[in-house]
Amino acid sequence: MLEKTFLRNDATLRDIVRLAKATAVCQEWKEKFGLKSFHIKRVAIKYSDELEGLTLWNGYKQLLRKLLEELASTQTFDGFFVSNQVTYKKKPEKVNMLKEEIKQVITWSSAKLTLVCEAIAWE
């Protein structure tokens, strides 16, 4: 409930999370790497102070960087509300593959993201 309330009260943060979730769906990160929307929301809330005041696109890119930083430093995502709660535990190969995909997506323009997702939708 805390997550829902937090995201409901900040429309820009909610839209940043939605864009990241749409990218994850488009790239099939849940199926390939076990990344769930829960992980994206938790990282967004954890770094909400850094996302505040950014435009949608800049906030989206920053959220992707924060997902990448979390994976790079700990190979997981911190539960945030509970200390030392591991919410994402995958084999190192899977984590490394997800990191590489996030790095690639960070470089995309909004037009490229749209094209990639539209192409996947047509498959």
Side-chain angles (χ1 to χ4, degrees), residues 47-74:
Y47 295 102
S48 62
D49 287 347
E50 294 179 43
L51 299 172
E52 187 176 355
L54 297 177
T55 65
L56 174 60
W57 188 250
N58 288 336
Y60 161 75
K61 294 280 191 153
Q62 182 67 1
L63 177 54
L64 290 177
R65 283 190 285 275
K66 291 302 177 182
L67 287 164
L68 187 58
E69 284 177 21
E70 291 268 322
L71 289 172
S73 65
T74 65

Side-chain angles (χ1 to χ4, degrees), residues 28-120:
E28 299 179 337
W29 288 345
K30 181 179 180 182
E31 295 78 9
K32 295 191 289 191
F33 311 114
L35 181 73
K36 298 177 183 172
S37 64
F38 164 83
H39 300 115
I40 295 168
K41 288 188 282 189
R42 285 286 173 96
V43 171
I45 291 169
K46 182 175 182 178
Y47 295 102
S48 62
D49 287 347
E50 294 179 43
L51 299 172
E52 187 176 355
L54 297 177
T55 65
L56 174 60
W57 188 250
N58 288 336
Y60 161 75
K61 294 280 191 153
Q62 182 67 1
L63 177 54
L64 290 177
R65 283 190 285 275
K66 291 302 177 182
L67 287 164
L68 187 58
E69 284 177 21
E70 291 268 322
L71 289 172
S73 65
T74 65
Q75 299 288 309
T76 189
F77 300 112
D78 180 19
F80 183 53
F81 296 118
V82 179
S83 297
N84 299 317
Q85 178 191 35
V86 174
T87 64
Y88 181 81
K89 186 162 178 73
K90 302 294 174 198
K91 292 181 180 178
E93 317 76 74
K94 291 276 189 186
V95 172
N96 289 333
M97 289 168 57
L98 176 57
K99 288 190 302 190
E100 289 306 311
E101 287 210 18
I102 292 171
K103 285 178 191 176
Q104 182 182 43
V105 170
I106 287 172
T107 67
W108 292 355
S109 67
S110 59
K112 166 89 178 198
L113 178 63
T114 301
L115 285 173
V116 169
C117 289
E118 284 177 351
I120 289 170

Side-chain angles (χ1 to χ4, degrees), residues 1-43:
M1 294 302 291
L2 182 58
E3 287 173 16
K4 286 183 181 185
T5 301
F6 198 89
L7 293 173
R8 191 178 302 129
N9 290 337
D10 188 333
T12 303
L13 182 60
R14 181 185 62 237
D15 291 343
I16 289 168
V17 168
R18 284 181 175 164
L19 188 53
K21 285 169 46 177
T23 301
V25 168
C26 174
Q27 294 300 107
E28 299 179 337
W29 288 345
K30 181 179 180 182
E31 295 78 9
K32 295 191 289 191
F33 311 114
L35 181 73
K36 298 177 183 172
S37 64
F38 164 83
H39 300 115
I40 295 168
K41 288 188 282 189
R42 285 286 173 96
V43 171

